[in-house]
Short mmCIF file of all heavy atoms in Angstrom, two decimals:
data_model
loop_
_atom_site.label_atom_id
_atom_site.label_comp_id
_atom_site.label_asym_id
_atom_site.label_seq_id
_atom_site.Cartn_x
_atom_site.Cartn_y
_atom_site.Cartn_z
N HIS A 276 63.19 179.67 -40.01
CA HIS A 276 64.49 179.36 -39.38
C HIS A 276 64.43 177.88 -38.88
O HIS A 276 63.39 177.45 -38.44
CB HIS A 276 64.74 180.28 -38.19
CG HIS A 276 66.10 180.59 -37.96
ND1 HIS A 276 66.97 179.68 -37.27
CD2 HIS A 276 66.95 181.64 -38.30
CE1 HIS A 276 68.20 180.21 -37.29
NE2 HIS A 276 68.16 181.41 -37.86
N SER A 277 65.53 177.22 -39.06
CA SER A 277 65.59 175.87 -38.37
C SER A 277 65.29 175.98 -36.91
O SER A 277 65.81 177.01 -36.31
CB SER A 277 67.06 175.26 -38.61
OG SER A 277 67.20 174.88 -40.00
N ALA A 278 64.49 175.05 -36.41
CA ALA A 278 64.07 175.33 -35.01
C ALA A 278 63.72 174.08 -34.28
O ALA A 278 63.43 172.99 -34.93
CB ALA A 278 62.77 176.20 -35.17
N LEU A 279 63.80 174.06 -32.97
CA LEU A 279 63.22 173.08 -32.12
C LEU A 279 61.77 173.38 -32.04
O LEU A 279 61.40 174.56 -31.89
CB LEU A 279 63.84 173.05 -30.69
CG LEU A 279 65.26 172.43 -30.66
CD1 LEU A 279 65.88 173.00 -29.36
CD2 LEU A 279 65.26 170.93 -30.65
N ALA A 280 60.86 172.41 -32.05
CA ALA A 280 59.51 172.67 -32.00
C ALA A 280 58.74 171.71 -31.05
O ALA A 280 59.09 170.53 -30.83
CB ALA A 280 58.82 172.52 -33.36
N GLN A 281 57.80 172.24 -30.37
CA GLN A 281 56.89 171.47 -29.47
C GLN A 281 55.37 171.78 -29.83
O GLN A 281 55.09 172.51 -30.75
CB GLN A 281 57.13 171.88 -28.06
CG GLN A 281 58.61 171.54 -27.64
CD GLN A 281 58.78 171.54 -26.20
OE1 GLN A 281 58.45 170.71 -25.44
NE2 GLN A 281 59.34 172.72 -25.66
N GLY A 282 54.49 171.21 -29.05
CA GLY A 282 53.04 171.36 -29.26
C GLY A 282 52.77 170.54 -30.58
O GLY A 282 53.32 169.48 -30.82
N ARG A 283 51.87 171.15 -31.38
CA ARG A 283 51.59 170.43 -32.67
C ARG A 283 52.78 170.64 -33.69
O ARG A 283 52.75 170.09 -34.80
CB ARG A 283 50.35 171.04 -33.31
CG ARG A 283 49.02 170.42 -32.80
CD ARG A 283 47.97 171.42 -33.11
NE ARG A 283 47.63 171.53 -34.48
CZ ARG A 283 46.73 172.41 -35.00
NH1 ARG A 283 46.02 173.07 -34.20
NH2 ARG A 283 46.60 172.52 -36.33
N GLY A 284 53.71 171.45 -33.26
CA GLY A 284 54.87 171.81 -34.11
C GLY A 284 54.97 173.29 -34.31
O GLY A 284 55.76 173.80 -35.09
N GLU A 285 54.10 174.03 -33.48
CA GLU A 285 54.08 175.53 -33.66
C GLU A 285 54.81 176.31 -32.59
O GLU A 285 55.01 177.50 -32.73
CB GLU A 285 52.61 175.95 -33.74
CG GLU A 285 51.85 176.13 -32.50
CD GLU A 285 51.54 174.79 -31.72
OE1 GLU A 285 51.95 173.71 -32.14
OE2 GLU A 285 50.81 174.86 -30.65
N LYS A 286 55.17 175.64 -31.47
CA LYS A 286 55.95 176.32 -30.44
C LYS A 286 57.41 176.23 -30.81
O LYS A 286 58.06 175.15 -30.59
CB LYS A 286 55.65 175.70 -29.08
CG LYS A 286 54.29 175.94 -28.58
CD LYS A 286 54.11 175.33 -27.21
CE LYS A 286 52.56 175.33 -26.92
NZ LYS A 286 52.26 174.19 -26.07
N LEU A 287 57.92 177.32 -31.35
CA LEU A 287 59.26 177.25 -32.00
C LEU A 287 60.28 177.97 -31.27
O LEU A 287 60.12 179.05 -30.71
CB LEU A 287 59.02 177.81 -33.39
CG LEU A 287 58.14 177.03 -34.35
CD1 LEU A 287 57.72 177.97 -35.55
CD2 LEU A 287 58.86 175.80 -34.84
N GLN A 288 61.52 177.33 -31.35
CA GLN A 288 62.65 178.01 -30.80
C GLN A 288 63.79 177.92 -31.83
O GLN A 288 64.26 176.86 -32.12
CB GLN A 288 63.10 177.26 -29.39
CG GLN A 288 64.31 177.81 -28.82
CD GLN A 288 64.85 176.74 -27.82
OE1 GLN A 288 64.11 175.93 -27.28
NE2 GLN A 288 66.17 176.80 -27.60
N ALA A 289 64.12 179.04 -32.41
CA ALA A 289 65.07 178.96 -33.56
C ALA A 289 66.44 178.52 -33.00
O ALA A 289 66.82 178.79 -31.86
CB ALA A 289 65.26 180.42 -34.19
N VAL A 290 67.18 177.71 -33.87
CA VAL A 290 68.39 177.23 -33.47
C VAL A 290 69.40 177.42 -34.58
O VAL A 290 69.05 177.62 -35.76
CB VAL A 290 68.42 175.71 -33.09
CG1 VAL A 290 67.67 175.42 -31.82
CG2 VAL A 290 67.73 174.89 -34.25
N SER A 291 70.66 177.41 -34.20
CA SER A 291 71.76 177.42 -35.22
C SER A 291 72.39 176.06 -35.21
O SER A 291 72.90 175.59 -34.23
CB SER A 291 72.75 178.49 -34.76
OG SER A 291 73.82 178.52 -35.64
N LEU A 292 72.31 175.45 -36.31
CA LEU A 292 72.74 174.03 -36.49
C LEU A 292 74.15 173.99 -37.07
O LEU A 292 74.52 174.79 -37.92
CB LEU A 292 71.80 173.18 -37.29
CG LEU A 292 70.43 173.10 -36.72
CD1 LEU A 292 69.44 172.43 -37.63
CD2 LEU A 292 70.39 172.31 -35.42
N THR A 293 74.95 173.01 -36.73
CA THR A 293 76.27 172.74 -37.37
C THR A 293 76.01 172.55 -38.81
O THR A 293 75.07 171.77 -39.16
CB THR A 293 76.86 171.52 -36.86
OG1 THR A 293 76.75 171.55 -35.38
CG2 THR A 293 78.30 171.31 -37.21
N PRO A 294 76.76 173.17 -39.75
CA PRO A 294 76.52 172.95 -41.21
C PRO A 294 76.59 171.49 -41.50
O PRO A 294 77.46 170.76 -41.14
CB PRO A 294 77.70 173.71 -41.88
CG PRO A 294 78.11 174.69 -40.88
CD PRO A 294 77.85 174.15 -39.47
N ARG A 295 75.57 170.93 -42.19
CA ARG A 295 75.42 169.58 -42.53
C ARG A 295 74.82 169.45 -43.92
O ARG A 295 74.13 170.23 -44.35
CB ARG A 295 74.60 168.78 -41.55
CG ARG A 295 75.34 168.54 -40.18
CD ARG A 295 74.81 167.37 -39.43
NE ARG A 295 75.30 166.01 -40.00
CZ ARG A 295 76.47 165.63 -39.58
NH1 ARG A 295 77.28 166.26 -38.80
NH2 ARG A 295 76.87 164.31 -39.98
N TYR A 296 75.17 168.27 -44.55
CA TYR A 296 74.65 167.97 -45.89
C TYR A 296 73.96 166.64 -45.75
O TYR A 296 74.27 165.86 -44.96
CB TYR A 296 75.83 167.87 -46.83
CG TYR A 296 76.63 169.15 -46.88
CD1 TYR A 296 77.67 169.40 -45.93
CD2 TYR A 296 76.35 170.15 -47.74
CE1 TYR A 296 78.33 170.58 -45.86
CE2 TYR A 296 76.99 171.34 -47.69
CZ TYR A 296 78.00 171.58 -46.80
OH TYR A 296 78.64 172.80 -46.72
N TYR A 297 72.91 166.53 -46.58
CA TYR A 297 72.11 165.34 -46.42
C TYR A 297 71.84 164.75 -47.78
O TYR A 297 71.85 165.48 -48.79
CB TYR A 297 70.69 165.71 -45.85
CG TYR A 297 70.72 166.42 -44.58
CD1 TYR A 297 70.80 167.76 -44.43
CD2 TYR A 297 70.82 165.67 -43.38
CE1 TYR A 297 70.96 168.40 -43.20
CE2 TYR A 297 71.00 166.26 -42.13
CZ TYR A 297 71.08 167.61 -42.02
OH TYR A 297 71.23 168.29 -40.90
N LEU A 298 71.76 163.47 -47.81
CA LEU A 298 71.29 162.83 -49.04
C LEU A 298 69.88 162.30 -48.80
O LEU A 298 69.60 161.52 -47.94
CB LEU A 298 72.27 161.60 -49.39
CG LEU A 298 71.91 161.08 -50.73
CD1 LEU A 298 72.31 162.01 -51.86
CD2 LEU A 298 72.68 159.67 -50.94
N LEU A 299 68.98 162.91 -49.65
CA LEU A 299 67.53 162.54 -49.52
C LEU A 299 67.41 161.27 -50.48
O LEU A 299 67.91 161.26 -51.57
CB LEU A 299 66.65 163.61 -50.10
CG LEU A 299 66.84 164.97 -49.41
CD1 LEU A 299 65.80 165.95 -49.92
CD2 LEU A 299 66.80 164.93 -47.87
N VAL A 300 66.70 160.29 -49.95
CA VAL A 300 66.45 159.09 -50.75
C VAL A 300 64.93 158.92 -50.85
O VAL A 300 64.19 158.72 -49.86
CB VAL A 300 67.06 157.85 -50.11
CG1 VAL A 300 66.90 156.61 -51.01
CG2 VAL A 300 68.62 157.98 -49.88
N PHE A 301 64.32 159.03 -52.10
CA PHE A 301 62.91 159.08 -52.34
C PHE A 301 62.50 157.68 -52.73
O PHE A 301 62.95 157.21 -53.77
CB PHE A 301 62.53 160.00 -53.45
CG PHE A 301 63.05 161.44 -53.17
CD1 PHE A 301 63.98 161.93 -54.13
CD2 PHE A 301 62.57 162.28 -52.21
CE1 PHE A 301 64.51 163.26 -53.93
CE2 PHE A 301 63.12 163.55 -52.01
CZ PHE A 301 63.99 164.06 -52.82
N PRO A 302 61.72 157.01 -51.90
CA PRO A 302 61.24 155.63 -52.34
C PRO A 302 60.23 155.59 -53.35
O PRO A 302 59.91 154.54 -53.85
CB PRO A 302 60.72 155.10 -51.01
CG PRO A 302 60.36 156.30 -50.22
CD PRO A 302 61.11 157.43 -50.61
N GLY A 303 59.61 156.74 -53.81
CA GLY A 303 58.68 156.65 -54.95
C GLY A 303 57.24 156.42 -54.54
O GLY A 303 56.40 156.08 -55.45
N PHE A 304 56.91 156.53 -53.31
CA PHE A 304 55.49 156.53 -52.97
C PHE A 304 55.21 157.51 -51.84
O PHE A 304 56.12 157.94 -51.17
CB PHE A 304 55.07 154.98 -52.47
CG PHE A 304 55.80 154.53 -51.32
CD1 PHE A 304 55.32 154.82 -50.01
CD2 PHE A 304 56.90 153.77 -51.39
CE1 PHE A 304 56.04 154.37 -48.96
CE2 PHE A 304 57.64 153.32 -50.28
CZ PHE A 304 57.17 153.67 -49.03
N ALA A 305 53.87 157.82 -51.80
CA ALA A 305 53.48 158.87 -50.78
C ALA A 305 52.91 158.15 -49.58
O ALA A 305 52.46 157.10 -49.61
CB ALA A 305 52.42 159.76 -51.41
#
Side-chain angles (χ1 to χ4, degrees):
H276 211 282
S277 289
L279 285 162
Q281 301 194 78
R283 277 160 64 183
E285 81 288 7
K286 290 180 194 153
L287 297 162
Q288 179 198 333
V290 289
S291 180
L292 298 172
T293 313
R295 286 205 82 79
Y296 302 86
Y297 302 92
L298 186 67
L299 308 183
V300 184
F301 306 115
F304 60 86

